[in-house]
Amino acid sequence: MVFKLQILAFRAFHILAPVLCSTLTKFCFAGVAVYTGMETKMALNYKSKSQKRSAVEKSMNTFLIIYLIILISEAIISTILKYTWQAEEKWDEPWYNQKTEHQRNSSKILRFISDFLAFLVLYNFIIPISLYVTVEMQKFLGSFFIGWDLDLYHEESDQKAQVNTSDLNEELGQVEYVFTDKTGTLTENEMQFRECSINGMKYQEINGRLVPEGPTPDSSEGDLTYLSGLSHLNNLSHLTSSSFRTSPENETELVKEHDLFFKAVSLCHTVQISNVQSECIGDGPWQSNLAPSQLEYYASSPDEKALVEAAARIGIVFIGNSEETMEIKTLGKLERYKLLHILEFDSDRRRMSVIVQAPSGEKFLFAKGAESSILPKCIGGEIEKTRIHVDEFALKGLRTLCIAYRQFTSKEYEAIDRRLFEARTALQQREEKLADTFQFIEKDLILLGATAVEDRLQDKVRETIEALRMAGIKVWVLTGDKHETAVSVSLSCGHFHRTMNILELTNQKSDNECAEQLRQLSRRITEDHVIQHGLVVDGTSLSLALREHEKLFMEVCRNCSAVLCCRMAPLQKAKVIRLIKISPEKPITLAVGDGANDVSMIQEAHVGIGIMGKEGRQAARNSDYAIARFKFLSKLLFVHGHFYYIRIATLVQYFFYKVSFM
């Protein structure tokens, strides 16, 4: 009996061995190719954080499952037909294939299994395992064409396009929605200080000097009086506007306000400095004779760098810092401030603050951030005038920040210092405790004013967006900027155009109010005889819309040619993309960004593209593809994506055609 079982096991292995060898060989070849591709990608820093798969791969896997079912069905049917055929004795043992004694006495179940495996080996060619190898090699080798394309090479920064994953090449040719950040993606991320509002008075910078808004009365041509220095502020008394007429006491107060405003700008930041030559720094009133080669600022945020450089041109120059001190020169006079605490910026608070001790021993908190996060915390200063000025700056497409301060008594600072120490040394819920402490500290502020910086558009952004629109791709701009700034930039870059009917879903306070507004927008879209509509949504209204009114919101968005989402947090960007991804149409989405705050939306989209800009390489490293400029997106989609889709579709069709006729 044992001998018979050994014989049966040997025959089963003899039949099963070809199947195992054939299958294992094919999978080994596929594994070697895939592993080689993965190793090469890892060596070149090729990685895809979101583990995305292309639509071709998904459909190809579906087809392979179908073919596997067909293979098993054929093997079962053939085995059954064999036993049906051999049911008659004359066909059971033909003269040319006599059974041995062991075969006659073997188990019927084991014979059925061995015959089934034999037919499986006979028909196994129907599964094109080599298709995986060929497709992987085609994708890997084809990805080099993107890096070799000189049209995607940016000469100024000496950067070429990068491919971090080759699995999504054909997805580039099927994109239906493009989600893009604004700052650094559509714009150059090179900030230039243009205007400011100090204690309710507007100024603009011209040739390194602050110029108050409005013409002088003794200039028939309407020339502006230059505010060329603190010692020349008495020139303001000659202006026609009654708000500029000041007494000597008010002039002294005005000097203090301007001085405090630019000191706040020079101290509230995380800018680093190098190549300092302190001689000849700030030796002129409200001006410095500093050459660019003498002083260089480095900052993670271009806004901070632009503001510190503007303050240096005015005459309050940041000349260095250490762990405990920050040094500035005010009109050539050196001042050392002790740095007590830094309240770091985060996307929830939308502001940052520093607590410093002045040379006189007074302790100040200087805060800067978006007007929506600073103005509600203020209890003094020209709040309404500054709010109006901020809106005017935003209508010009300028990026705005509000500046405020708070002075602490000794007892107040001791309490604050103790709370900060407890929060930062907490072993549990440290982030929550820090957030609560920051909120406790950043209150009862006195508003100093607001700044406005300009960020110019990249080359050919308008042409690229128009090309995407002509191709039937919908473009959404997701930004954290103020509503007016975002709309102004959208109009200038061609995302919105003048003939488009622009709808707004902003400043919604409740779910019912949001739902009613969405229904009104839906009716307007249906009733208006306008070819194209645009939609503007802010972060607060978006949160309400996504909470309980997703279908209604999606209905409005699908009928709009362009959507602009402003005042958005990074996670909200990812939620919007996910909402589109899971919609019934299942469109292919693409996200473009340049900074760390864009990583979540880049990973959420089917295809993520990072811009190698001035905010580090987080977006480029976490993306599927990286390019130097937004304008390169058109060729990446319309040329490379188109050809990749044709190549992979033809290759897959050929393999299944070959299988069908083998």
Side-chain angles (χ1 to χ4, degrees):
M1 181 66 182
V2 175
F3 179 73
K4 290 182 179 180
L5 290 175
Q6 290 176 344
I7 294 297
L8 291 174
F10 176 78
R11 292 191 68 239
F13 175 77
H14 180 71
I15 296 173
L16 188 61
V19 179
L20 294 175
C21 291
S22 175
T23 306
L24 287 175
T25 302
K26 291 178 179 179
F27 275 111
C28 284
F29 276 114
V32 168
V34 172
Y35 178 77
T36 304
M38 288 175 62
E39 285 294 309
T40 307
K41 292 176 186 177
M42 290 174 65
L44 297 175
N45 196 25
Y46 281 12
K47 54 187 175 181
S48 178
K49 297 285 185 181
S50 50
Q51 302 295 324
K52 303 169 185 175
R53 289 192 304 160
S54 68
V56 171
E57 284 183 336
K58 295 175 183 177
S59 60
M60 193 169 68
N61 291 340
T62 303
F63 292 146
L64 287 177
I65 292 174
I66 294 173
Y67 273 88
L68 180 62
I69 295 173
I70 293 174
L71 171 62
I72 295 174
S73 301
E74 286 182 342
I76 293 174
I77 293 172
S78 298
T79 305
I80 294 174
L81 289 177
K82 176 192 174 185
Y83 282 93
T84 303
W85 176 263
Q86 292 179 346
E88 297 183 21
E89 187 176 349
K90 62 177 180 178
W91 301 117
D92 187 28
E93 289 190 47
W95 59 270
Y96 55 83
N97 190 19
Q98 293 291 322
K99 294 182 180 179
T100 63
E101 189 65 24
H102 297 296
Q103 289 177 329
R104 294 191 186 97
N105 297 329
S106 63
S107 171
K108 292 184 178 180
I109 296 177
L110 188 59
R111 275 187 295 169
F112 183 89
I113 293 174
S114 63
D115 290 335
F116 170 76
L117 294 176
F119 282 114
L120 209 61
V121 172
L122 185 63
Y123 299 140
N124 79 87
F125 64 86
I126 197 174
I127 302 293
I129 300 297
S130 59
L131 174 62
Y132 278 106
V133 182
T134 309
V135 167
E136 183 66 25
M137 292 302 296
Q138 189 272 342
K139 288 184 175 182
F140 176 68
L141 296 176
S143 64
F144 287 100
F145 288 107
I146 295 178
W148 292 339
D149 192 344
L150 294 180
D151 290 337
L152 302 182
Y153 171 74
H154 189 243
E155 188 174 357
E156 294 179 11
S157 59
D158 190 27
Q159 292 173 333
K160 63 179 182 179
Q162 297 178 4
V163 181
N164 296 335
T165 176
S166 59
D167 295 333
L168 303 170
N169 294 340
E170 66 280 353
E171 297 284 279
L172 295 171
Q174 305 174 70
V175 172
E176 298 176 54
Y177 282 84
V178 170
F179 300 89
T180 176
D181 181 38
K182 184 186 75 68
T183 304
T185 304
L186 301 179
T187 62
E188 290 284 0
N189 210 6
E190 293 180 355
M191 308 299 178
Q192 291 292 330
F193 179 82
R194 294 302 182 198
E195 300 184 51
C196 66
S197 172
I198 306 175
N199 195 32
M201 296 167 58
K202 286 175 63 176
Y203 302 91
Q204 59 184 158
E205 185 189 21
I206 298 180
N207 297 327
R209 298 178 177 181
L210 283 184
V211 181
E213 188 180 70
T216 60
D218 48 4
S219 175
S220 59
E221 297 180 359
D223 294 333
L224 295 174
T225 297
Y226 287 96
L227 181 60
S228 58
L230 289 171
S231 61
H232 296 83
L233 277 173
N234 54 2
N235 290 339
L236 294 177
S237 62
H238 299 297
L239 297 181
T240 55
S241 174
S242 60
S243 63
F244 286 86
R245 297 197 183 105
T246 59
S247 63
E249 295 79 6
N250 290 336
E251 288 175 8
T252 303
E253 187 66 26
L254 188 60
V255 170
K256 291 181 179 179
E257 291 168 353
H258 285 73
D259 181 54
L260 190 58
F261 176 84
F262 283 105
K263 282 183 179 179
V265 170
S266 298
L267 293 171
C268 185
H269 57 76
T270 56
V271 173
Q272 299 297 318
I273 195 170
S274 67
N275 300 330
V276 179
Q277 295 183 3
S278 57
E279 299 83 1
C280 302
I281 294 181
D283 55 354
W286 285 72
Q287 254 181 305
S288 65
N289 297 327
L290 180 66
S293 60
Q294 292 177 304
L295 197 61
E296 288 187 62
Y297 294 116
Y298 296 93
S300 58
S301 170
D303 298 77
E304 287 191 336
K305 181 182 177 184
L307 294 177
V308 173
E309 288 176 342
R313 292 193 298 270
I314 298 303
I316 300 181
V317 186
F318 171 67
I319 60 173
N321 64 347
S322 64
E323 292 183 359
E324 296 183 353
T325 62
M326 300 182 75
E327 296 182 354
I328 63 173
K329 272 195 173 182
T330 304
L331 307 180
K333 179 183 177 182
L334 180 63
E335 297 181 7
R336 286 187 175 90
Y337 287 79
K338 185 177 181 181
L339 181 60
L340 301 175
H341 294 285
I342 297 178
L343 281 57
E344 297 82 0
F345 174 87
D346 63 65
S347 57
D348 295 327
R349 287 167 42 243
R350 296 177 185 257
R351 59 182 176 269
M352 76 157 290
S353 304
V354 295
I355 301 177
V356 297
Q357 180 176 332
S360 61
E362 298 173 308
K363 295 178 177 62
F364 291 93
L365 176 138
F366 293 116
K368 70 176 180 183
E371 88 287 345
S372 60
S373 64
I374 294 292
L375 296 183
K377 300 289 183 178
C378 293
I379 60 172
E382 297 290 346
I383 298 176
E384 292 305 320
K385 288 184 179 179
T386 304
R387 193 191 304 273
I388 294 172
H389 292 166
V390 167
D391 292 339
E392 292 174 355
F393 295 153
L395 289 174
K396 299 177 183 178
L398 303 178
R399 293 168 57 86
T400 59
L401 288 173
C402 287
I403 311 293
Y405 82 100
R406 177 185 176 186
Q407 186 173 355
F408 297 116
T409 63
S410 298
K411 291 184 178 179
E412 287 176 339
Y413 176 73
E414 289 176 3
I416 286 171
D417 185 59
R418 185 172 57 255
R419 288 194 60 167
L420 278 172
F421 177 78
E422 292 174 354
R424 284 175 171 156
T425 57
L427 298 179
Q428 295 180 346
Q429 298 180 338
R430 182 179 302 173
E431 297 297 329
E432 291 80 0
K433 291 180 179 179
L434 276 175
D436 293 339
T437 304
F438 288 174
Q439 293 288 349
F440 173 76
I441 296 172
E442 296 170 326
K443 66 179 182 179
D444 300 334
L445 303 178
I446 305 299
L447 183 64
L448 291 172
T451 62
V453 296
E454 182 183 28
D455 188 10
R456 65 185 182 88
L457 288 173
Q458 294 183 15
D459 294 335
K460 297 185 178 180
V461 169
R462 175 181 286 272
E463 292 84 349
T464 303
I465 292 179
E466 186 61 30
L468 293 173
R469 183 180 290 114
M470 293 295 292
I473 299 174
K474 292 186 176 181
V475 180
W476 290 36
V477 176
L478 313 179
T479 179
D481 282 352
K482 185 175 170 58
H483 170 266
E484 291 82 2
T485 303
V487 172
S488 178
V489 174
S490 288
L491 288 169
S492 61
C493 73
H495 180 237
F496 287 163
H497 52 76
R498 301 296 176 182
T499 60
M500 185 179 289
N501 183 21
I502 299 179
L503 311 173
E504 291 192 357
L505 180 65
T506 57
N507 301 321
Q508 303 301 305
K509 304 300 182 183
S510 64
D511 288 334
N512 294 334
E513 184 180 348
C514 182
E516 181 60 30
Q517 181 67 13
L518 283 171
R519 283 189 283 268
Q520 290 181 8
L521 294 178
S522 180
R523 286 195 297 268
R524 283 188 59 184
I525 292 174
T526 305
E527 297 171 359
D528 289 351
H529 300 287
V530 179
I531 298 177
Q532 292 183 335
H533 295 85
L535 178 65
V536 182
V537 188
D538 62 9
T540 305
S541 303
L542 181 66
S543 299
L544 295 173
L546 297 181
R547 187 184 303 170
E548 296 182 3
H549 314 293
E550 286 188 2
K551 292 184 179 180
L552 189 56
F553 178 69
M554 278 300 303
E555 180 184 349
V556 173
C557 291
R558 276 197 295 264
N559 293 319
C560 294
S561 303
V563 178
L564 170 64
C565 300
C566 56
R567 284 295 186 220
M568 295 192 70
L571 290 179
Q572 284 183 312
K573 297 180 180 181
K575 287 181 180 179
V576 169
I577 295 177
R578 180 166 181 78
L579 180 65
I580 299 297
K581 280 176 60 179
I582 64 176
S583 61
E585 296 82 5
K586 296 292 189 296
I588 303 298
T589 59
L590 180 145
V592 192
D594 72 309
N597 61 335
D598 301 319
V599 170
S600 57
M601 76 169 185
I602 286 175
Q603 292 185 343
E604 183 63 46
H606 292 98
V607 182
I609 295 183
I611 301 293
M612 295 178 285
K614 297 179 175 62
E615 291 192 14
R617 290 291 183 271
Q618 293 94 328
R621 289 176 179 175
N622 286 275
S623 63
D624 303 306
Y625 303 90
I627 54 179
R629 286 294 182 269
F630 183 80
K631 65 180 180 181
F632 297 151
L633 186 63
S634 57
K635 184 166 187 181
L636 190 64
L637 299 184
F638 301 149
V639 178
H640 290 284
H642 175 71
F643 284 131
Y644 280 134
Y645 184 68
I646 292 177
R647 292 182 193 126
I648 195 69
T650 304
L651 178 65
V652 172
Q653 288 178 356
Y654 165 73
F655 260 89
F656 286 109
Y657 167 81
K658 182 182 71 171
V659 168
S660 301
F661 288 90
M662 283 184 64

